[in-house]
Structure formats: structure tokens, C-alpha cells
Amino acid sequence: MKPVALRVIGIGPGGPRQITLDAVDAIAATDVFLILDKGDRTSELTGVRQQMLDAHAAPGHTVVAVPDPPRDRDPADYATEVRRWHAARVDAIDAALTAHLPDGGTAAFLVWGDPALYDSTLRLTDALARRRPLSVDVVPGVTSASALTAAHGIVAHAVGEPILTTTGRRLSSTPDGADQNQIVMLDSSLAFRETADPDDTVYWGACLGTEHEVLVSGRVADVADEIAATRARVRDELGWIMDIYLLQKGRG
């Protein structure tokens, strides 16, 4: 089995112009692009990736759609289900590399945001590297957190304050004293509606950097219902949504 050079390229939160010059160079130097295909509901996101490839990839490159294995979105044991899902993804990616790069070469994943922040691609490449000769190069990307604060025109914290980055699933377990500034990702249920003080301030954004970008901010008591309704509307219209929010303590 010939070794494969695998690039994990951060492409930002969705805007085709939010990729870095390093990402442009990495795309231009890649032979095969692997896209985990989640079906018709994310076809627009696949289209954004294709725009980037049309603009920056070398002639003759290949795009390989790898069917994304199904997963249980509300399992009794979340960690176990994610491990099972990741293992199935590794199997599918390994088979795609064998089929499309049997004599070695360069492949790449285009990863939303930054590969190191709430994305599992690097865990998959670690598992792949235990199976086959593989070198991995990571290109960082603009994060949805930085796109959110830029879109709202704000600083994420007051002078000298810390920031906690967490998920909706874990928001209720934020330690005492760590809730001054919380960037919350992966929160389809908008957990802040149950955990936040009414006078806390929330800065919410969805589809950041795209033509569908939408922003809402204000006191939790004033805008929580608006955010929930807007999120549901955007998801119904597009079939997908990527959103994030910053929750700040007692600044209403």
C-alpha cells in the first residue's frame, strides 16, 4: 500500500471568500478531495465546497463523495454512539483512499471552520494512520466563533475576562465562575433558554458568512423566542443550519 499525503483544510464557516491563502495553496496542490456526503439536505453546503474547488483546485482534480454512515442523534449513550459512527466513517474513508489513490498521492478534506474546534476529522485521520501509511497536514481556518463576533462587531469578553467554549449539551454544567462569557456550539435545542438569567446577553448567528446569514442579539428575556423562531424558519427553508452564540453574564 503506497503512502498517501492527507490534508485537512479549514475553510471557514461558510463564506467562499473566508478561506486563507494557505488554504488556497493547499487546495491547488491536492489530487483528490474527499467529501462526506450527507444527502440532499446538505447539497447547498456541498455546492459551496464546489465553488471553492472551481476557483482554486488544479485542473484534473477528482472529487469523491463518501456516503456518511447514519448515526443516532439522540442516543442513550452519546459517547458510545459517536465512537461507533466514527469507526464506520474511518472504514468508508479507508475504502475511498484505496479505490482512488492506490499508488499514493495527495487527498484532502475541506472542513467547515477550523479542524481543531468541534470537528472530528482529525480523530478520523488519527485512526486512519494506524491502518495505513499516511502523513497528515493541517491547515487552520477561520472559526465560526470569530465570524460571530465580527458579524456582531463586538469583543467576546471584557478586559482580562476568560472565555469558555462549550456545547449546548454541556451548558447546564458550566462551573461556577466560568459563565462570564460562553461561546456555545452544537446547540439545536438552544439550551440557554433554560439555563441563562433573563438579564444575560446573547449574540446569536446562523449561516455566518453566507448569503443566508442572520443575526439576533439582546437580553435573553427579550430575544430568546425570536432566536428560536428564526432558527426554526431558517432550518425549514434551507434544510440545514449551522449556528452559534455568545452568552454573556448580566449585561442586559
Side-chain angles (χ1 to χ4, degrees):
M1 184 180 295
K2 296 290 183 66
V4 171
L6 185 59
R7 296 188 173 103
V8 182
I9 305 172
I11 58 173
R17 295 183 60 83
Q18 289 179 325
I19 63 173
T20 67
L21 294 178
D22 280 346
V24 168
D25 289 346
I27 289 172
T30 296
D31 303 316
V32 173
F33 296 89
L34 303 175
I35 295 178
L36 286 166
D37 184 5
K38 298 183 180 181
D40 291 342
R41 69 183 179 87
T42 58
S43 60
E44 184 172 353
L45 296 178
T46 300
V48 172
R49 287 190 177 102
Q50 189 60 56
Q51 288 180 44
M52 296 179 184
L53 296 180
D54 291 343
H56 306 300
H61 70 274
T62 301
V63 178
V64 177
V66 180
D68 197 18
R71 62 174 290 194
D72 184 350
R73 293 284 176 178
D74 190 25
D77 188 331
Y78 179 78
T80 297
E81 172 59 13
V82 168
R83 285 193 294 270
R84 183 211 60 78
W85 177 50
H86 284 179
R89 280 182 145 191
V90 172
D91 290 340
I93 295 165
D94 194 17
L97 291 176
T98 299
H100 294 277
L101 287 171
D103 298 319
T106 302
F109 287 102
L110 303 183
V111 173
W112 297 115
D114 182 90
L117 186 62
Y118 287 105
D119 183 85
S120 293
T121 306
L122 291 176
R123 296 187 182 94
L124 304 182
T125 60
D126 285 347
L128 276 170
R130 292 192 288 271
R131 295 188 180 190
R132 56 159 57 234
L134 189 71
S135 63
V136 179
D137 182 35
V138 182
V139 179
V142 174
T143 69
S144 57
S146 56
L148 176 74
T149 52
H152 281 284
I154 59 171
V155 179
H157 56 87
V159 175
E161 288 184 347
I163 302 170
L164 175 70
T165 303
T166 189
T167 65
R169 187 182 294 271
R170 298 184 62 86
L171 187 60
S172 62
S173 60
T174 296
D176 291 341
D179 60 352
Q180 291 171 299
N181 309 284
Q182 297 183 88
I183 291 173
V184 186
M185 311 177 83
L186 304 176
D187 188 7
S188 60
S189 64
L190 298 175
F192 76 90
R193 293 182 294 168
E194 302 296 330
T195 63
D197 186 279
D199 281 329
D200 290 351
T201 301
V202 60
Y203 297 91
W204 177 83
C207 308
L208 295 165
T210 76
E211 62 181 331
H212 308 297
E213 178 178 284
V214 59
L215 306 171
V216 179
S217 64
R219 289 176 65 243
V220 166
D222 297 333
V223 300
D225 290 344
E226 179 186 356
I227 290 172
T230 303
R231 188 184 195 282
R233 174 182 59 79
V234 172
R235 194 180 190 286
D236 285 345
E237 290 175 354
L238 301 180
W240 60 273
I241 190 168
M242 293 193 292
D243 62 331
I244 183 175
Y245 59 90
L246 167 67
L247 187 64
Q248 292 187 323
K249 192 66 180 172
R251 293 177 186 165

